[in-house]
Amino acid sequence: MSEQPRNKIWMAVALVAGLQLAALVWMIAGRISLLKSGREMTVEVVPVDPRDLFRGEYVILGYTFSGTGDTSLPDATKRGDRLYATLKAAEGTKWDLVTVTPSYPEKLEPGQAVLSGYASDVWRNSENGRVTGRIRYGIETYFVPEGKGRAIEEMVRDKKIEALLAVSGSGQAAIKALVIDGKRVHEEPLY
């Protein structure tokens, strides 16, 4: 094999490796940026299913604004569609769902925030034609240190735990920490 084709192969391999590295750096930088500079929201956590809260070393978290599958969705919503949920601060750490739209809202009232998510389940009610379903925001699971899952599972069940979220201006959310009795525990590392 001559020197020129061999150089082209190595250049192609280097280019592919460089692109993969750039994509990885982009994902890590985005996560670090969100956790460092995203708006902080402490939200009430509710149990999802007491028989299925612990799998391995993570806990499943539910939120009052997530609903149970009866959240009103825009009429043309299909599974996998990106949706924007406008939330309004209520009592304490409770946030109420105001509306769900297919695009980021143009104007927000004071005390409101937007979370971006995907329609995970969509149903059309045969009686009234209303489209309802569930939205996944990417904050439904939280990895915990080995051996801590059962204790956190109990706190979620007893409603003694809250989640501190970091929310970007585009509605992307990440769990920054879990909060027990007003104290941050299990802080998410930036890397």
Side-chain angles (χ1 to χ4, degrees):
M1 189 181 277
S2 73
E3 196 64 32
Q4 191 173 13
R6 204 177 286 175
N7 286 342
K8 286 183 179 180
I9 290 172
W10 282 112
M11 287 178 60
V13 168
L15 178 65
V16 169
L19 289 173
Q20 289 176 337
L21 181 61
L24 183 60
V25 168
W26 179 262
M27 290 187 315
I28 292 170
R31 177 78 174 182
I32 290 171
S33 173
L34 174 60
L35 290 173
K36 281 181 76 173
S37 62
R39 173 184 178 183
E40 288 187 357
M41 294 172 55
T42 304
V43 297
E44 181 180 15
V45 176
V46 295
V48 174
D49 180 353
R51 292 162 299 183
D52 193 24
L53 282 175
F54 178 72
R55 294 181 185 168
E57 292 301 320
Y58 69 91
V59 289
I60 298 172
L61 304 173
Y63 303 93
T64 54
F65 53 81
S66 291
T68 57
D70 59 351
T71 302
S72 289
L73 303 177
D75 281 340
T77 302
K78 297 182 295 300
R79 185 179 181 171
D81 285 354
R82 179 176 290 282
L83 298 170
Y84 296 88
T86 301
L87 307 177
K88 182 171 180 71
E91 276 185 40
T93 59
K94 189 172 183 202
W95 288 75
D96 294 329
L97 180 65
V98 176
T99 187
V100 176
T101 55
S103 59
Y104 195 92
E106 291 182 23
K107 185 177 180 187
L108 294 176
E109 306 271 328
Q112 289 185 337
V114 176
L115 293 184
S116 170
Y118 292 93
S120 65
D121 298 299
V122 179
W123 300 277
R124 182 171 296 278
N125 187 316
S126 58
E127 294 174 15
N128 61 16
R130 194 178 106 193
V131 176
T132 59
R134 290 188 188 101
I135 303 172
R136 298 203 45 92
Y137 302 99
I139 53 174
E140 290 77 19
T141 56
Y142 186 74
F143 290 88
V144 296
E146 190 170 338
K148 302 286 185 185
R150 293 238 186 254
I152 293 172
E153 175 184 283
E154 291 298 320
M155 286 184 245
V156 169
R157 213 178 280 143
D158 296 339
K159 296 187 178 184
K160 294 179 181 176
I161 199 162
E162 299 163 338
L164 178 64
L165 304 180
V167 182
S168 72
S170 65
Q172 182 183 5
I175 299 172
K176 196 168 189 172
L178 295 181
V179 179
I180 301 171
D181 295 327
K183 181 181 172 193
R184 289 183 186 196
V185 295
H186 304 294
E187 190 95 21
E188 184 72 14
L190 293 178
Y191 51 90

